Coordinates of all heavy atoms in Angstrom, one line a residue:
M533 N 0.9 -1.2 0.0 CA 0.1 0.0 0.0 C 0.9 1.2 0.0 O 1.9 1.4 0.8 CB -0.9 0.0 1.2 CG -1.7 1.3 1.4 SD -2.7 1.3 3.0 CE -4.2 0.5 2.4
M534 N 0.6 2.2 -0.8 CA 1.4 3.5 -0.9 C 0.9 4.4 0.1 O -0.4 4.5 0.2 CB 1.2 4.0 -2.3 CG 2.0 3.2 -3.4 SD 1.8 4.0 -5.1 CE 2.0 5.7 -4.7
K535 N 1.7 5.1 0.6 CA 1.3 6.2 1.5 C 1.1 7.5 0.7 O 2.0 7.7 -0.2 CB 2.3 6.5 2.6 CG 2.4 5.4 3.6 CD 3.3 5.8 4.8 CE 3.4 4.7 5.8 NZ 4.2 5.1 6.9
Q536 N 0.2 8.3 1.0 CA -0.1 9.5 0.3 C 0.3 10.7 1.2 O 0.2 10.6 2.4 CB -1.6 9.7 -0.1 CG -2.0 8.6 -1.2 CD -3.4 8.9 -1.6 OE1 -4.2 9.6 -1.0 NE2 -3.8 8.2 -2.8
Q537 N 0.8 11.7 0.5 CA 1.3 12.9 1.3 C 0.7 14.1 0.5 O 0.7 14.2 -0.7 CB 2.7 12.9 1.3 CG 3.2 14.1 2.1 CD 4.8 14.1 2.1 OE1 5.4 13.2 1.7 NE2 5.4 15.3 2.7
L538 N 0.2 15.0 1.4 CA -0.3 16.3 0.8 C 0.8 17.1 0.3 O 1.9 17.2 0.8 CB -1.0 17.1 1.9 CG -2.3 16.5 2.5 CD1 -2.8 17.4 3.6 CD2 -3.3 16.3 1.4
V539 N 0.5 17.6 -0.9 CA 1.6 18.5 -1.5 C 0.9 19.9 -1.7 O 0.0 20.1 -2.4 CB 2.0 18.0 -3.0 CG1 3.0 19.0 -3.6 CG2 2.6 16.6 -2.8
W540 N 1.4 20.8 -0.8 CA 0.9 22.1 -0.8 C 1.4 22.8 -2.1 O 2.5 22.9 -2.4 CB 1.3 22.9 0.3 CG 0.7 22.4 1.6 CD1 1.4 21.7 2.6 CD2 -0.7 22.4 2.0 NE1 0.5 21.4 3.5 CE2 -0.7 21.8 3.2 CE3 -1.8 22.9 1.4 CZ2 -2.0 21.7 3.9 CZ3 -3.0 22.8 2.1 CH2 -3.1 22.1 3.4
Q541 N 0.5 23.6 -2.8 CA 0.9 24.3 -4.0 C 0.8 25.8 -3.6 O 0.0 26.2 -2.9 CB -0.1 23.9 -5.1 CG 0.0 22.5 -5.5 CD -0.8 22.1 -6.7 OE1 -0.7 22.8 -7.8 NE2 -1.7 21.2 -6.6
D542 N 1.6 26.6 -4.3 CA 1.7 28.0 -4.0 C 0.4 28.7 -4.3 O -0.2 28.4 -5.4 CB 2.8 28.7 -4.8 CG 3.1 30.1 -4.4 OD1 3.8 30.3 -3.4 OD2 2.5 31.0 -5.1
M543 N -0.1 29.7 -3.6 CA -1.3 30.4 -3.8 C -1.3 31.1 -5.1 O -2.4 31.4 -5.7 CB -1.7 31.3 -2.7 CG -2.1 30.5 -1.4 SD -3.4 29.3 -1.6 CE -4.7 30.5 -2.1
N544 N -0.1 31.6 -5.6 CA -0.1 32.2 -6.8 C -0.6 31.4 -8.0 O -1.0 31.9 -9.1 CB 1.3 32.7 -7.1 CG 1.8 33.8 -6.2 OD1 1.1 34.6 -5.7 ND2 3.1 33.9 -5.9
E545 N -0.5 30.1 -7.8 CA -0.9 29.1 -8.9 C -2.3 28.7 -8.7 O -2.8 27.8 -9.4 CB 0.1 27.9 -8.9 CG 1.5 28.4 -9.1 CD 1.7 29.0 -10.5 OE1 1.1 28.6 -11.5 OE2 2.5 30.0 -10.5
A546 N -3.0 29.1 -7.7 CA -4.4 28.6 -7.3 C -5.4 29.0 -8.4 O -5.3 30.2 -8.8 CB -4.7 29.1 -6.0
P547 N -6.3 28.2 -8.8 CA -7.3 28.5 -9.7 C -8.3 29.4 -9.0 O -8.7 29.3 -7.9 CB -8.0 27.2 -10.0 CG -7.6 26.3 -8.8 CD -6.3 26.8 -8.4
K548 N -8.6 30.4 -9.9 CA -9.6 31.5 -9.3 C -11.0 31.3 -9.9 O -11.8 32.2 -9.6 CB -9.0 32.9 -9.7 CG -7.7 33.2 -8.9 CD -7.2 34.5 -9.3 CE -6.0 34.9 -8.4 NZ -4.8 34.1 -8.4
D549 N -11.3 30.2 -10.5 CA -12.6 30.1 -11.1 C -13.4 29.1 -10.4 O -14.5 28.7 -10.8 CB -12.4 29.6 -12.7 CG -11.6 28.3 -12.8 OD1 -11.0 27.9 -11.8 OD2 -11.7 27.7 -13.9
R550 N -13.0 28.6 -9.2 CA -13.7 27.5 -8.5 C -13.3 27.6 -7.0 O -12.3 28.1 -6.7 CB -13.6 26.3 -9.1 CG -12.1 25.7 -9.1 CD -12.1 24.4 -9.8 NE -10.7 23.8 -9.8 CZ -9.8 24.0 -10.8 NH1 -10.1 24.8 -11.7 NH2 -8.6 23.5 -10.7
A551 N -14.1 27.0 -6.2 CA -13.7 26.8 -4.8 C -12.5 25.8 -4.6 O -12.4 24.9 -5.4 CB -14.9 26.3 -4.0
I552 N -11.7 26.1 -3.8 CA -10.4 25.3 -3.6 C -10.3 25.0 -2.0 O -10.8 25.8 -1.2 CB -9.2 25.9 -4.1 CG1 -8.9 27.3 -3.4 CG2 -9.3 26.0 -5.6 CD1 -7.5 27.8 -3.8
L553 N -9.6 24.0 -1.7 CA -9.3 23.6 -0.3 C -7.9 24.2 0.1 O -7.0 23.9 -0.7 CB -9.4 22.1 -0.1 CG -9.3 21.5 1.2 CD1 -10.5 22.0 2.0 CD2 -9.3 20.0 1.2
V554 N -7.9 25.0 1.1 CA -6.7 25.6 1.5 C -6.3 25.2 2.9 O -7.2 24.7 3.7 CB -6.8 27.1 1.5 CG1 -6.9 27.6 0.0 CG2 -7.8 27.7 2.2
G555 N -5.0 25.3 3.3 CA -4.6 25.1 4.6 C -4.3 26.3 5.3 O -3.6 27.2 4.8
I556 N -4.8 26.5 6.5 CA -4.6 27.7 7.3 C -3.9 27.3 8.5 O -4.3 26.4 9.4 CB -5.9 28.3 7.8 CG1 -6.7 28.7 6.5 CG2 -5.7 29.6 8.6 CD1 -8.0 28.0 6.3
K557 N -2.7 27.8 8.8 CA -1.8 27.5 10.1 C -2.2 28.4 11.2 O -2.2 29.6 11.0 CB -0.3 27.6 9.6 CG 0.5 27.1 10.8 CD 2.0 27.1 10.3 CE 2.8 26.2 11.3 NZ 4.1 26.2 10.9
S558 N -2.6 27.8 12.3 CA -2.9 28.5 13.5 C -1.8 29.2 14.0 O -0.6 28.6 14.2 CB -3.5 27.6 14.5 OG -3.6 28.2 15.7
E559 N -1.9 30.5 14.4 CA -0.8 31.2 15.0 C -0.4 30.8 16.4 O 0.7 30.9 16.8 CB -1.1 32.8 14.9 CG -1.2 33.3 13.6 CD -1.4 34.8 13.7 OE1 -1.4 35.4 14.8 OE2 -1.7 35.4 12.6
C560 N -1.4 30.3 17.1 CA -1.2 30.0 18.5 C -0.6 28.5 18.7 O 0.3 28.4 19.5 CB -2.4 30.2 19.3 SG -3.9 29.2 18.8
D561 N -1.0 27.5 18.0 CA -0.5 26.1 18.2 C 0.0 25.6 17.0 O 0.6 24.4 17.1 CB -1.6 25.3 18.7 CG -2.9 25.3 17.9 OD1 -2.8 25.7 16.7 OD2 -3.9 24.8 18.4
G562 N 0.1 26.2 15.9 CA 0.8 25.7 14.6 C 0.1 24.6 13.9 O 0.6 24.1 12.9
I563 N -1.2 24.3 14.4 CA -1.9 23.2 13.7 C -2.5 23.8 12.4 O -3.1 24.9 12.3 CB -3.1 22.8 14.7 CG1 -2.6 22.0 15.9 CG2 -4.2 21.8 13.9 CD1 -3.6 21.7 16.9
I564 N -2.5 22.9 11.4 CA -3.1 23.4 10.1 C -4.6 22.9 10.0 O -4.8 21.6 10.3 CB -2.3 22.7 8.9 CG1 -0.8 23.4 9.0 CG2 -2.9 23.1 7.6 CD1 0.1 22.9 8.0
R565 N -5.5 23.8 9.7 CA -6.8 23.3 9.5 C -7.2 23.6 8.1 O -6.5 24.3 7.4 CB -7.7 24.0 10.5 CG -7.9 25.5 10.3 CD -8.9 26.1 11.4 NE -8.9 27.5 11.2 CZ -9.7 28.1 10.4 NH1 -10.5 27.5 9.5 NH2 -9.7 29.4 10.3
F566 N -8.3 23.0 7.6 CA -8.6 23.2 6.2 C -9.9 24.1 6.1 O -10.7 24.1 7.0 CB -8.9 21.9 5.6 CG -7.7 21.0 5.6 CD1 -7.5 20.0 6.4 CD2 -6.8 21.2 4.5 CE1 -6.4 19.2 6.4 CE2 -5.6 20.3 4.5 CZ -5.5 19.4 5.5
D567 N -10.1 24.8 5.0 CA -11.3 25.5 4.7 C -11.4 25.6 3.3 O -10.4 25.6 2.4 CB -11.1 27.0 5.3 CG -12.5 27.7 5.4 OD1 -13.5 27.0 5.0 OD2 -12.5 28.8 6.0
S568 N -12.7 25.7 2.7 CA -13.0 25.9 1.3 C -13.1 27.4 1.1 O -13.9 28.0 1.8 CB -14.2 25.1 0.9 OG -14.6 25.2 -0.3
V569 N -12.3 27.8 0.1 CA -12.4 29.3 -0.2 C -12.7 29.5 -1.7 O -12.4 28.7 -2.5 CB -11.1 30.0 0.3 CG1 -10.9 29.9 1.8 CG2 -9.9 29.5 -0.5
V570 N -13.1 30.7 -2.0 CA -13.2 31.2 -3.4 C -12.6 32.5 -3.5 O -12.5 33.4 -2.5 CB -14.6 31.3 -3.8 CG1 -15.4 30.0 -3.9 CG2 -15.4 32.2 -2.9
F571 N -12.1 32.8 -4.7 CA -11.5 34.1 -5.0 C -12.6 35.1 -5.5 O -13.3 34.7 -6.4 CB -10.4 34.0 -6.0 CG -9.8 35.2 -6.5 CD1 -8.8 35.9 -5.6 CD2 -10.1 35.9 -7.7 CE1 -8.2 37.0 -6.1 CE2 -9.6 37.0 -8.0 CZ -8.6 37.6 -7.2
N572 N -12.8 36.2 -4.9 CA -13.8 37.1 -5.2 C -13.4 38.6 -5.1 O -13.7 39.2 -4.1 CB -15.0 36.9 -4.5 CG -16.3 37.6 -5.0 OD1 -16.2 38.3 -5.9 ND2 -17.4 37.4 -4.4
P573 N -12.8 39.1 -6.1 CA -12.4 40.5 -6.0 C -13.5 41.5 -6.0 O -13.2 42.7 -5.7 CB -11.4 40.8 -7.2 CG -11.8 39.6 -8.2 CD -12.4 38.6 -7.3
E574 N -14.6 41.0 -6.4 CA -15.8 42.0 -6.4 C -16.3 42.4 -5.0 O -17.1 43.3 -4.8 CB -17.0 41.3 -7.1 CG -16.9 41.4 -8.6 CD -16.1 40.2 -9.0 OE1 -16.1 39.0 -8.5 OE2 -15.4 40.2 -10.0
E575 N -15.7 41.6 -4.0 CA -16.0 42.0 -2.6 C -15.6 43.5 -2.2 O -15.9 44.0 -1.2 CB -15.4 41.0 -1.6 CG -16.1 39.7 -1.6 CD -17.4 39.6 -1.0 OE1 -17.7 40.5 0.0 OE2 -18.3 38.9 -1.3
F576 N -14.6 43.9 -3.0 CA -14.0 45.2 -2.8 C -14.5 46.3 -3.6 O -14.7 46.1 -4.8 CB -12.4 45.1 -3.0 CG -11.8 44.2 -2.0 CD1 -11.6 42.9 -2.4 CD2 -11.3 44.6 -0.8 CE1 -11.0 42.0 -1.6 CE2 -10.7 43.7 0.0 CZ -10.6 42.3 -0.3
E577 N -14.8 47.4 -3.1 CA -15.3 48.6 -3.9 C -14.2 49.7 -3.8 O -13.6 49.9 -2.7 CB -16.6 49.1 -3.2 CG -17.7 48.0 -3.4 CD -19.1 48.6 -2.9 OE1 -19.1 49.7 -2.5 OE2 -20.0 47.7 -2.7
E578 N -14.0 50.3 -4.9 CA -13.0 51.4 -4.8 C -13.8 52.8 -4.6 O -14.8 53.0 -5.0 CB -12.3 51.5 -6.2 CG -11.4 50.2 -6.3 CD -10.7 50.4 -7.7 OE1 -10.9 51.3 -8.5 OE2 -9.8 49.5 -7.9
D579 N -13.1 53.6 -3.8 CA -13.6 55.0 -3.6 C -13.2 55.9 -4.7 O -12.7 55.5 -5.8 CB -13.2 55.5 -2.3 CG -11.7 55.7 -2.2 OD1 -11.0 55.7 -3.2 OD2 -11.1 55.9 -1.0
E580 N -13.5 57.2 -4.7 CA -13.3 58.1 -5.7 C -11.8 58.2 -6.1 O -11.5 58.5 -7.3 CB -13.8 59.5 -5.4 CG -15.2 59.7 -4.9 CD -15.4 59.3 -3.5 OE1 -14.6 59.8 -2.5 OE2 -16.3 58.5 -3.1
D581 N -10.9 58.0 -5.3 CA -9.5 58.0 -5.6 C -8.9 56.7 -6.1 O -7.7 56.6 -6.4 CB -8.7 58.3 -4.3 CG -9.1 59.7 -3.7 OD1 -9.5 60.6 -4.5 OD2 -9.0 59.8 -2.5
G582 N -9.8 55.8 -6.4 CA -9.4 54.4 -6.9 C -8.7 53.5 -5.8 O -8.2 52.5 -6.1
E583 N -8.9 53.9 -4.5 CA -8.4 53.1 -3.4 C -9.4 52.1 -2.9 O -10.7 52.4 -3.1 CB -7.9 54.0 -2.3 CG -6.8 55.0 -2.7 CD -5.4 54.2 -2.9 OE1 -5.2 53.3 -2.3 OE2 -4.8 54.7 -3.8
E584 N -9.0 51.0 -2.3 CA -10.0 50.1 -1.8 C -10.7 50.8 -0.7 O -10.1 51.4 0.2 CB -9.3 48.8 -1.5 CG -8.9 48.0 -2.6 CD -8.0 46.9 -2.3 OE1 -7.7 46.7 -1.1 OE2 -7.5 46.2 -3.2
S585 N -12.0 50.5 -0.5 CA -12.8 51.3 0.5 C -12.5 50.8 2.0 O -12.7 51.6 2.8 CB -14.3 51.0 0.2 OG -14.6 49.6 0.3
D586 N -11.9 49.7 2.1 CA -11.6 49.2 3.5 C -10.1 49.1 3.6 O -9.5 48.3 3.1 CB -12.2 48.0 3.8 CG -12.0 47.5 5.2 OD1 -11.2 48.1 5.9 OD2 -12.7 46.5 5.6
P587 N -9.4 50.1 4.3 CA -7.9 50.1 4.3 C -7.4 48.9 5.1 O -6.2 48.7 5.0 CB -7.6 51.4 4.9 CG -8.8 51.8 5.7 CD -9.9 51.2 4.9
G588 N -8.2 48.2 5.9 CA -7.7 47.0 6.7 C -7.4 45.8 5.8 O -6.8 44.9 6.1
F589 N -8.0 45.8 4.5 CA -7.8 44.7 3.6 C -6.5 44.8 2.9 O -6.1 45.9 2.5 CB -9.0 44.6 2.7 CG -10.2 44.0 3.1 CD1 -11.3 44.8 3.5 CD2 -10.3 42.7 3.3 CE1 -12.4 44.3 4.0 CE2 -11.5 42.1 3.8 CZ -12.5 42.9 4.1
A590 N -5.9 43.6 2.7 CA -4.8 43.7 1.6 C -5.3 43.8 0.4 O -6.5 43.8 0.1 CB -3.9 42.4 1.9
S591 N -4.4 43.8 -0.7 CA -4.9 43.9 -2.0 C -5.9 42.8 -2.3 O -5.8 41.6 -1.9 CB -3.7 43.7 -3.0 OG -4.1 43.6 -4.2
A592 N -6.9 43.1 -3.1 CA -8.1 42.2 -3.5 C -7.5 41.0 -4.1 O -8.0 39.9 -4.1 CB -9.0 42.9 -4.2
K593 N -6.4 41.2 -4.9 CA -5.9 40.0 -5.6 C -5.2 39.0 -4.7 O -4.9 37.9 -5.3 CB -4.9 40.5 -6.7 CG -3.7 41.2 -6.1 CD -2.8 41.7 -7.3 CE -1.6 42.5 -6.7 NZ -0.9 43.2 -7.7
N594 N -5.0 39.2 -3.5 CA -4.5 38.3 -2.6 C -5.5 37.7 -1.6 O -5.1 37.0 -0.6 CB -3.3 38.8 -1.9 CG -2.2 39.0 -2.8 OD1 -1.9 38.3 -3.7 ND2 -1.5 40.1 -2.6
T595 N -6.8 38.0 -1.8 CA -7.7 37.7 -0.7 C -8.8 36.7 -1.1 O -9.2 36.7 -2.2 CB -8.5 39.0 -0.2 OG1 -7.6 40.0 0.0 CG2 -9.4 38.7 1.0
W596 N -9.1 35.7 -0.2 CA -9.8 34.6 -0.5 C -10.9 34.5 0.6 O -10.6 34.8 1.8 CB -9.0 33.3 -0.4 CG -8.1 33.3 -1.5 CD1 -6.8 33.8 -1.4 CD2 -8.1 32.6 -2.8 NE1 -6.1 33.5 -2.6 CE2 -6.8 32.8 -3.5 CE3 -9.1 31.8 -3.4 CZ2 -6.6 32.3 -4.7 CZ3 -8.8 31.4 -4.7 CH2 -7.6 31.6 -5.2
F597 N -12.2 34.2 0.3 CA -13.3 34.1 1.2 C -13.9 32.8 1.3 O -14.0 32.0 0.4 CB -14.4 35.0 0.5 CG -14.0 36.5 0.4 CD1 -13.3 37.0 -0.7 CD2 -14.2 37.5 1.5 CE1 -12.9 38.3 -0.8 CE2 -13.7 38.8 1.3 CZ -13.1 39.2 0.2
S598 N -14.3 32.5 2.5 CA -14.9 31.2 2.8 C -16.3 31.4 3.0 O -16.9 32.5 3.1 CB -14.3 30.5 4.1 OG -14.8 31.3 5.2
D599 N -17.1 30.3 3.0 CA -18.6 30.3 3.1 C -19.1 30.9 4.5 O -20.1 31.4 4.5 CB -19.1 28.9 2.9 CG -19.0 28.4 1.5 OD1 -19.0 29.2 0.6 OD2 -19.1 27.2 1.4
N600 N -18.2 30.8 5.5 CA -18.7 31.3 6.8 C -18.1 32.7 7.0 O -17.9 33.2 8.2 CB -18.0 30.4 7.9 CG -16.6 30.3 7.9 OD1 -15.9 31.0 7.1 ND2 -16.0 29.4 8.7
D601 N -18.0 33.4 5.9 CA -17.7 35.0 6.0 C -16.3 35.3 6.5 O -16.0 36.4 6.8 CB -18.7 35.7 6.8 CG -20.0 35.7 6.1 OD1 -20.1 35.7 4.9 OD2 -21.1 35.8 6.8
D602 N -15.4 34.3 6.7 CA -14.0 34.5 6.9 C -13.3 34.9 5.7 O -13.7 34.5 4.7 CB -13.3 33.3 7.5 CG -13.8 33.0 9.0 OD1 -14.1 33.9 9.7 OD2 -13.6 31.8 9.4
Y603 N -12.2 35.6 5.8 CA -11.4 35.9 4.6 C -9.9 35.8 5.0 O -9.6 35.9 6.2 CB -11.7 37.3 4.1 CG -11.5 38.5 5.1 CD1 -10.2 39.1 5.3 CD2 -12.6 38.9 5.9 CE1 -10.0 40.0 6.3 CE2 -12.4 39.9 6.9 CZ -11.1 40.4 7.0 OH -10.9 41.4 8.0
Y604 N -9.2 35.4 4.1 CA -7.8 35.1 4.3 C -6.9 35.8 3.3 O -7.3 36.0 2.2 CB -7.5 33.6 4.2 CG -8.4 32.7 5.1 CD1 -9.4 32.0 4.4 CD2 -8.2 32.6 6.4 CE1 -10.3 31.3 5.2 CE2 -9.0 31.9 7.2 CZ -10.1 31.2 6.6 OH -10.9 30.4 7.4
Y605 N -5.7 36.2 3.7 CA -4.7 36.8 2.7 C -3.8 35.7 2.4 O -3.2 35.0 3.2 CB -3.9 37.9 3.4 CG -4.9 39.1 3.9 CD1 -4.8 39.5 5.3 CD2 -5.8 39.6 3.1 CE1 -5.7 40.5 5.6 CE2 -6.7 40.6 3.5 CZ -6.5 41.1 4.7 OH -7.4 42.1 5.2
S606 N -3.7 35.4 1.1 CA -2.9 34.3 0.6 C -1.5 34.3 1.0 O -0.8 33.3 1.3 CB -3.0 34.3 -0.9 OG -2.5 35.3 -1.6
N607 N -0.8 35.4 1.2 CA 0.6 35.5 1.5 C 0.8 35.4 3.0 O 1.9 34.9 3.4 CB 1.2 36.8 1.0 CG 1.1 36.9 -0.5 OD1 1.1 35.9 -1.1 ND2 1.1 38.1 -0.9
D608 N -0.2 35.7 3.8 CA 0.0 35.7 5.3 C -0.7 34.6 6.0 O -0.2 34.1 7.0 CB -0.6 37.1 5.8 CG 0.2 38.3 5.3 OD1 1.4 38.2 5.0 OD2 -0.5 39.4 5.2
D609 N -1.9 34.2 5.5 CA -2.7 33.3 6.4 C -2.7 31.9 5.8 O -2.9 30.9 6.7 CB -4.1 33.8 6.4 CG -4.3 35.1 7.0 OD1 -3.6 35.5 7.9 OD2 -5.1 35.9 6.5
L610 N -2.5 31.7 4.5 CA -2.6 30.3 4.0 C -1.3 29.7 3.7 O -0.4 30.2 3.2 CB -3.3 30.6 2.5 CG -4.8 31.2 2.7 CD1 -5.3 31.3 1.3 CD2 -5.6 30.4 3.6
V611 N -1.3 28.4 4.0 CA -0.1 27.5 3.8 C 0.0 27.2 2.4 O 1.1 27.2 1.8 CB -0.2 26.2 4.6 CG1 0.9 25.3 4.3 CG2 -0.3 26.5 6.2
G612 N -1.2 27.0 1.7 CA -1.2 26.7 0.3 C -2.4 26.1 0.0 O -3.4 25.9 0.8
W613 N -2.6 25.5 -1.3 CA -3.8 24.8 -1.6 C -3.4 23.4 -2.1 O -2.3 23.2 -2.5 CB -4.6 25.6 -2.7 CG -4.0 25.7 -4.0 CD1 -2.8 26.5 -4.4 CD2 -4.2 24.9 -5.2 NE1 -2.6 26.4 -5.6 CE2 -3.3 25.4 -6.1 CE3 -5.2 23.9 -5.5 CZ2 -3.4 24.9 -7.5 CZ3 -5.2 23.5 -6.8 CH2 -4.3 24.0 -7.7
I614 N -4.4 22.5 -2.1 CA -4.1 21.2 -2.6 C -5.3 20.8 -3.5 O -6.4 21.3 -3.5 CB -4.1 20.1 -1.4 CG1 -5.4 20.3 -0.6 CG2 -3.0 20.4 -0.5 CD1 -5.5 19.2 0.5
E615 N -5.0 19.8 -4.5 CA -5.9 19.1 -5.3 C -6.4 17.8 -4.5 O -5.6 17.2 -4.0 CB -5.4 18.8 -6.6 CG -5.1 20.0 -7.5 CD -4.6 19.7 -8.8 OE1 -3.4 19.6 -9.0 OE2 -5.5 19.6 -9.7
V616 N -7.7 17.6 -4.4 CA -8.1 16.5 -3.9 C -8.8 15.5 -5.0 O -9.7 15.9 -5.7 CB -9.4 16.9 -2.9 CG1 -9.9 15.6 -2.2 CG2 -8.9 17.9 -1.9
P617 N -8.1 14.4 -5.2 CA -8.5 13.5 -6.2 C -9.9 12.9 -5.9 O -10.2 12.7 -4.8 CB -7.4 12.5 -6.2 CG -6.7 12.5 -4.9 CD -6.9 14.0 -4.4
V618 N -10.7 12.8 -6.9 CA -12.0 12.2 -6.8 C -12.0 10.8 -7.3 O -11.7 10.7 -8.5 CB -13.1 13.1 -7.4 CG1 -14.4 12.4 -7.4 CG2 -13.1 14.5 -7.0
L619 N -12.3 9.9 -6.6 CA -12.2 8.5 -7.0 C -13.4 8.1 -7.7 O -14.5 8.5 -7.2 CB -11.9 7.5 -5.8 CG -10.7 7.8 -5.0 CD1 -10.6 6.9 -3.8 CD2 -9.4 7.5 -5.9
P620 N -13.4 7.3 -8.8 CA -14.6 6.9 -9.4 C -15.4 6.0 -8.5 O -14.9 5.2 -7.7 CB -14.1 6.2 -10.6 CG -12.6 5.8 -10.4 CD -12.2 6.8 -9.4
Q621 N -16.6 6.1 -8.5 CA -17.5 5.3 -7.7 C -17.5 3.8 -8.1 O -17.5 3.5 -9.4 CB -18.9 5.7 -7.7 CG -19.1 7.1 -7.1 CD -20.6 7.6 -7.1 OE1 -21.4 7.0 -7.8 NE2 -20.9 8.7 -6.4
A622 N -17.6 2.9 -7.2 CA -17.6 1.5 -7.5 C -18.9 1.1 -8.2 O -19.9 1.7 -7.7 CB -17.3 0.7 -6.2
K623 N -18.8 0.2 -9.1 CA -19.9 -0.1 -9.8 C -20.5 -1.4 -9.2 O -19.9 -2.3 -8.8 CB -19.7 -0.4 -11.4 CG -19.4 1.0 -12.0 CD -19.3 0.7 -13.5 CE -19.0 2.2 -14.1 NZ -19.0 2.0 -15.5

């Protein structure tokens, strides 16, 4: 039996056209948990000066959103993303 190992891929290569599974490393205990996120730059609105309306956000191009209204910055919060193989159903 082969052992499988997760291979984290860089967030710069993450697909932006679908939900993906990411790893988030806890700052307090170092445990990695998983969350499903989507890339959605439309969450940001620009003001008259062309600046993002919420200065607390990093650049929209690095921000990912989960279903539970959490958001993550790809460079700071996320370990990376993984592909989850889907096995064909047994007939």
Side-chain angles (χ1 to χ4, degrees):
M533 176 186 268
M534 289 180 44
K535 290 187 177 183
Q536 293 184 344
Q537 181 176 353
L538 294 178
V539 177
W540 294 109
Q541 299 184 54
D542 189 86
M543 289 305 296
N544 293 332
E545 304 296 322
K548 293 181 171 60
D549 61 344
R550 61 185 180 268
I552 59 172
L553 190 63
V554 295
I556 301 113
K557 189 170 186 177
S558 170
E559 291 181 12
C560 57
D561 55 15
I563 293 175
I564 295 175
R565 66 181 178 84
F566 298 98
D567 199 353
S568 175
V569 298
V570 294
F571 177 78
N572 188 359
E574 285 84 33
E575 290 285 331
F576 297 90
E577 296 179 7
E578 293 183 352
D579 60 19
E580 305 84 45
D581 299 329
E583 298 293 322
E584 290 168 1
S585 59
D586 186 347
F589 280 102
S591 173
K593 62 184 173 187
N594 293 323
T595 307
W596 298 80
F597 298 87
S598 72
D599 287 337
N600 59 5
D601 294 329
D602 285 336
Y603 56 89
Y604 307 103
Y605 302 128
S606 59
N607 298 334
D608 299 329
D609 299 326
L610 303 178
V611 175
W613 68 284
I614 57 174
E615 290 185 273
V616 180
V618 178
L619 300 176
Q621 293 182 348
K623 294 184 177 186

